[in-house]
Amino acid sequence: DAIAFRAVLQVHGVSDPALVADAADVWAGAGGSGFGPRVTHDTLLALRRASRAWPPMAPLLAAAVPDSVDLADEEITDLLGEGARALAGAGVEVHWPRDLTRGLTTRAEIGPADGTPGPGTSAGPSLLSADALLAFDWHFALGDDRRLTREELDLLAEAHRPVVRLRDRWVLIDPQVVRRARARDVHKVAPLDALGAALTGSVEVDGERVEVRPTGWLATLRDRLADPEAQESVAQPAALAATLRDYQRRGLTWLARTTSLGLGCCLADDMGLGKTITLIALHLYRQDEPGAAGPTLVVCPASLMGNWQREIERFAPGTPVRRFHGARRGLDDLAEDGFVLTTYGTMRLDAERLATVPWGMVVADEAQHVKNPYASTARALRSIGARARVALTGTPVENNLSELWAILDWTTPGLLGPLSAFRGRYADAVEGGEDPAAADRLARLVRPFLLRRRKSDPGIAPELPPKTETDHAVSLTEEQAGLYEAVVREALERIAGADGMERRGMIVKLLTGLKQICNHPAQYLKEDRPVITGRSGKLELLDELLDTVLAERAGVLVFTQYVRMARLLERHLAARGVPSQFLHGGTPVAARDAMVRRFQDGDVPVFLLSLKAAGTGLNLTRAEHVVHYDRWWNPAVEAQATDRAYRIGQTRPVQVHRIIAEGTIEDRIAALLRRKQDLADAVLGSGGAALTELSDAELTDLVELRGEPA
């Protein structure tokens, strides 16, 4: 039978006489019929087990009635932690008297002095000002949340004992815990640090996570930011020559409210949902806001400058707009209410000149261009001051969370802390899937500063036609299969004997070579005047798809990451008599605009595009088909390319075709991308570079050819 045994700890006047009497009565009647004849024996065995686990219990074995034991202060302290855990391992529970208050709870309180006006008011502080420090105070309470004064905390610490009489009751607290609490002084913190702690609800102090409660206007601001949908809607600017959709009006409200607080933000809607018109509306809105007016600088890829100018002239007629680009660029006589458009390359070269202008707002379009905070482009952009900073991107995280940090640390410097601390606190735990709580804290911290809407979200773009995505598996030709296996065999032999950077370089070269072989042998072999037909399974399928597209008199976009492959396709299509054009990174801005017009007018049915150069910013709604001839390492980049056709303004169903060489590395990469897309919906893990860290066995499994060639 199970035996119930309870030892009462009599310590310096702390006892429970009723329990003592119960224990004595039980022991005296142990030989009777109440508990059976073996009760004394089993109880002594339990006591021996307990005393081995925690030696201070040993005196109970020698007691006539093992009902109590006297403990020294340090033994009680030990019983609060290690002792209780050791006894639990031996099957003995520790029960403390009910009227004994246990445990000291600690939380931080962060906020301004009473009556201090908040940000967004004429007298309030700027959240970006290092001078506007807030108080970081401590709240200490006993078990029932009765707050302790500093004097009472001092009393507990000075007693140097685990059991102290306080407020007419006994208090049981580890002296070490009290000493640590007493050492925590009131200090000042920067507003953004305080806001980050308020949004996440906790802060790390000396390796321990402590609950945080905001006070004053910081609490009000936290509630306001945490629920953007509760913000009072702003009116659409009268000067805007368009009617915003509902989700665009909500985006305008969010942008206006956030920037009015002196905070930057990132509008991360899917491509094609109208980030440009929403930003134009924000510019017009801010012209009427006190302290917010001033010219807006838009930094964007070269291919987007024409689109920005057309959109501004269309939706904000009469608003001055100029391009700061080319040999004759200048900043003289800037209009207070105007736009200045420049490219990332020009901005990098002329950051000092641009930094002399008191910008009302700086906008980084396709902000993933500054995802590397150490690159010269990102450093130049950070040097240009403004009253507000807004990032626009459809892919705030392409490969890892450091990219998200780079964007938000530009829009609102200091919000996420230093990059090294951010990686240790959030990125490593989230990307590794080790700490769901870290992912939740990061989401709460980031959500107020990053607005993300997708075309698939309910009510966002119901007018968009359906989109069908199909993976087409093709077999390698005999030539491709033989070349593939030879390259794998030779490369793996060399990689097995290498290490460090040399090994990583070899792996990158192998992966690139295999993808080129899957495209077409002539691409890998760098043939000058190759025979193109009959050598590639992918090309045969592309011909079949194009026959269907041309018969429908539809338009098609064909994306490849390789310029050489696009040139081969261009030559092949010309031989077939199929009109096509090719846009790549070296195409001048004026030529790009002309290509877009020709395609949109239906003059050229096949548009070949370099994925890296044309994956963003172009409006190509004439296309009903999108072909990804080869796979990029990142699904977000492919999605952006698809969005050249599948965007607001598209009225016909869009079919997306991804061509995959079966049995090859492309098969395995496709599976990796599907898993990576799931992670991207929360916060993305590491990118293709992680493949260079595979073991020899893992690499072999990734690249070996499976199945038979066609």
Side-chain angles (χ1 to χ4, degrees), residues 10 45 50 54 93 97 108 140 242 292 358 459 471 475 491 516 627 635 646 668:
Q10 290 183 321
L45 287 178
W54 195 57
E93 295 182 12
F140 304 106
D471 286 347
S475 299
Q516 292 174 350
V627 177
Y646 191 65
R668 266 81 86 194

Side-chain angles (χ1 to χ4, degrees), residues 99 108 114 129 131 192 197 313 346 351 427 434 583 594 640 692:
D99 62 347
D114 292 340
S129 170
D131 299 327
L192 281 176
E313 292 169 347
T346 302
E434 303 163 359
L583 188 153
Q640 279 194 111
T692 63

Side-chain angles (χ1 to χ4, degrees), residues 317-329:
T319 298
V321 55
R322 73 165 70 178
R323 298 190 185 192
F324 183 72
H325 184 64
R328 298 183 180 180
R329 59 184 179 269

